[in-house]
């Protein structure tokens, strides 16, 4: 790994510290390098706060004082995993800030696909006489922001499918009773995942059988928005999903009504292109990513529609011999991981 890649990898390590807090912004990391030494670094603050470049530069000012920092920055290179923004949003343009501080060189991992930035940040820096290098660890930089890129390029959230199955491929008991398949370590990992995504979705049958709360109570950080598909509003009002503790959206065919944290959205022609319509509605609500947890019918509906980006499947050592068959994914198995005595299989779509 050459030095440019080393510093860009540090940007990526910083960027993921914003997981679960920056959406709908991308996760970005930045480091300031002076004479081959990192003198400042930062990552994007929770949504509405300063971006990575601002935090990195400010860390230099805080450490060295304004006068010394200005001297150092005028002879430093800043590495940033995503193209600096060129427009006014919640914060001023980062490109303008870098120009104001007189940094002579900016190294960028990948360009920003957002129409108000795409290439404009790079152009603004170059027009100010700053040397700009692009494409360092580009694939890695794009991968960590696959949620953001999907939202921008496909006008829908990034979709993560998740389920557990027995060793012989069963998803649930035949009698539809509640039965936990995966182990405690897998459960905690799932709760960590929930803290990293914007929303989590289940269908009516899962809600009725399991009465889940869909929180990340076994981890830290925020719980995701809860999404329920309930065509005829069959889930009782006293179930956890409807307790108003977390923002919950119920897609249905009966009514549209907002009551504090509980939002009912009526879908016209409910059974026609349902997964597409749900994802587009969530896109309009700035939901950047979603975990779909079930049940089997709901999961298969999104699979059959080709609307998924990643599947995480826990495979236990249990064998049942009978039951509800697990969804059929038809993707590419990317890797297998051991989680205690469960195996975690990660799939991606075939492109």
């Amino acid at each position: 790994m050459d030095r440019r890649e080393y510093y860009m990898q540090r940007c990526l390590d910083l960027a993921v510290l914003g997981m679960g807090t920056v959406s709908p912004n991308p996760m970005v990391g930045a480091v300031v390098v002076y004479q081959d030494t990192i003198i400042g670094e930062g990552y994007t603050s929770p949504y509405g706060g300063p971006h990575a470049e601002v935090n990195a530069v400010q860390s230099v000012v805080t450490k060295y004082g304004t006068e010394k920092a200005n001297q150092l920055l005028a002879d430093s290179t800043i590495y940033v995993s995503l193209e600096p923004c060129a427009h006014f949003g919640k914060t001023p343009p980062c490109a303008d800030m870098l120009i104001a501080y007189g940094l002579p060189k900016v190294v960028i991992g990948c360009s920003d696909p957002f129409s108000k930035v795409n290439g404009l940040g790079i152009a603004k820096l170059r027009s100010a006489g700053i040397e700009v290098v692009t494409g360092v660890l580009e694939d890695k930089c794009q991968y960590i922001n696959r949620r953001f890129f999907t939202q921008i390029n496909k006008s829908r959230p990034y979709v993560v499918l998740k389920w557990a199955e027995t060793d012989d491929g069963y998803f649930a008991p035949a009698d539809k009773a509640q039965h936990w398949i995966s182990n405690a370590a897998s459960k905690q990992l799932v709760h960590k995942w929930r803290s990293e995504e914007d929303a989590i979705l289940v269908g009516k049958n899962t809600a009725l059988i399991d009465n889940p709360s869909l929180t990340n109570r076994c981890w830290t950080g925020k719980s995701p928005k809860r999404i329920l598909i309930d065509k005829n509003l069959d889930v009782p009002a006293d179930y956890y999903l409807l307790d108003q503790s977390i923002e919950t959206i119920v897609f249905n065919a009966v009514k549209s009504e907002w009551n504090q944290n509980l939002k009912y959205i009526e879908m016209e022609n409910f059974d026609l292109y349902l997964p597409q319509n749900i994802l587009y509605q969530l896109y309009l609500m700035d939901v950047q990513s979603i975990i779909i947890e079930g049940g089997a019918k709901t999961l298969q509906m999104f699979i059959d529609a080709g609307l998924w980006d990643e599947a995480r499947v826990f495979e236990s050592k249990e064998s049942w011999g009978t039951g509800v068959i697990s969804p059929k994914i038809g993707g590419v198995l990317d890797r297998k991981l051991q989680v205690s005595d469960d195996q975690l299989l990660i799939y991606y779509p075939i492109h």
Side-chain angles (χ1 to χ4, degrees):
M1 180 180 291
D2 66 26
R3 298 304 289 174
R4 292 191 311 180
E5 292 179 346
Y6 172 81
Y7 293 129
M8 191 59 68
Q9 184 59 54
R10 178 58 184 165
C11 291
L12 294 173
D13 294 341
L14 290 165
V16 296
L17 298 177
M19 176 74 79
T21 66
V22 303
S23 177
N25 282 338
M27 296 180 291
V28 184
V31 297
V32 180
V33 179
Y34 174 77
Q35 295 185 353
D36 208 28
T37 300
I38 294 176
I39 61 170
E41 57 185 30
Y43 59 94
T44 300
S45 302
Y47 181 62
H51 292 180
E53 303 94 315
V54 175
N55 287 332
V57 168
Q58 188 57 48
S59 73
V60 178
V61 175
T62 300
K63 183 176 181 179
Y64 295 99
T66 301
E67 184 176 353
K68 180 64 173 177
N70 286 338
Q71 295 172 3
L72 293 171
L73 290 169
D75 196 26
S76 295
T77 297
I78 187 167
Y79 290 75
V80 58
S81 56
L82 187 71
E83 177 182 2
C85 60
H87 68 294
F88 281 87
K90 294 287 186 181
T91 60
C94 292
D96 288 359
M97 183 271 299
L98 297 178
I99 293 168
Y101 274 101
L103 281 100
K105 185 175 181 178
V106 179
V107 179
I108 297 169
C110 65
S111 59
D112 188 329
F114 184 48
S115 61
K116 292 184 178 180
V117 181
N118 195 357
L120 299 178
I122 293 171
K124 181 175 279 194
L125 293 171
R126 284 178 172 157
S127 67
I130 295 174
E131 180 186 355
V132 179
V133 177
T134 62
V136 178
L137 296 185
E138 184 173 25
D139 290 346
K140 285 188 174 182
C141 292
Q142 291 173 343
Y143 180 76
I144 69 158
N145 273 315
R146 58 199 185 277
R147 296 164 180 82
F148 175 71
F149 277 59
T150 297
Q151 183 189 39
I152 297 298
N153 293 329
K154 297 185 178 181
S155 299
R156 65 166 175 81
Y158 184 87
V159 177
V160 178
L161 308 178
K162 171 264 164 183
W163 73 86
E165 63 185 32
T166 63
D167 186 55
D168 53 350
Y170 291 103
F171 179 90
D175 62 2
K176 298 184 178 180
Q178 185 178 22
H179 187 95
W180 195 263
I181 297 176
S182 54
N183 61 43
S186 296
K187 179 179 180 180
Q188 186 176 41
L189 179 57
V190 168
H191 285 226
K192 176 180 181 293
W193 292 342
R194 291 177 180 178
S195 73
E196 297 170 348
E197 311 300 344
D198 285 354
I200 182 170
L201 180 149
V202 295
K204 176 197 71 175
N205 290 338
T206 295
L208 290 174
I209 294 168
D210 296 344
N211 190 16
S213 62
L214 300 185
T215 62
N216 60 333
R217 59 197 176 279
C218 296
W219 199 254
T220 58
K222 67 172 182 61
S223 291
K225 299 180 195 295
R226 301 182 296 199
I227 315 297
L228 172 64
I229 302 175
D230 186 6
K231 181 177 181 179
N232 298 311
L233 301 182
D234 294 322
V235 176
D238 60 352
Y239 270 41
Y240 293 131
L241 278 177
L242 305 179
D243 65 8
Q244 299 239 22
S245 62
I246 299 166
E247 183 179 349
T248 302
I249 301 166
V250 183
F251 289 103
N252 68 92
V254 178
K255 66 179 180 179
S256 289
E257 179 182 291
W258 288 34
N259 179 15
Q260 297 178 324
N261 267 344
L262 189 54
K263 301 172 182 179
Y264 293 91
I265 298 180
E266 181 181 356
M267 308 290 282
E268 295 183 9
N269 302 313
F270 185 90
D271 297 311
L272 186 63
Y273 300 114
L274 182 59
Q276 290 89 339
N277 289 331
I278 287 174
L279 293 182
Y280 186 63
Q281 286 292 327
L282 294 176
Y283 163 76
L284 295 176
M285 300 172 79
D286 260 347
V287 173
Q288 191 181 89
S289 63
I290 185 168
I291 300 176
I292 298 177
E293 287 210 358
K297 180 181 176 182
T298 299
L299 286 159
Q300 196 66 56
M301 177 175 65
F302 282 86
I303 293 170
D304 291 344
L307 292 172
W308 65 283
D309 301 288
E310 186 175 338
R312 304 170 183 175
V313 182
F314 290 102
E315 189 177 273
S316 78
K317 290 186 174 181
E318 290 190 41
S319 291
W320 290 354
T322 186
V324 177
I325 297 291
S326 295
K328 302 302 179 186
I329 191 69
V332 176
L333 177 60
D334 183 72
R335 60 193 183 276
K336 294 183 179 181
L337 304 170
Q338 201 69 34
V339 183
S340 187
D341 59 350
D342 288 341
Q343 271 205 321
L344 173 59
L345 286 62
I346 308 294
Y347 295 88
Y348 292 99
I350 298 172
H351 293 297

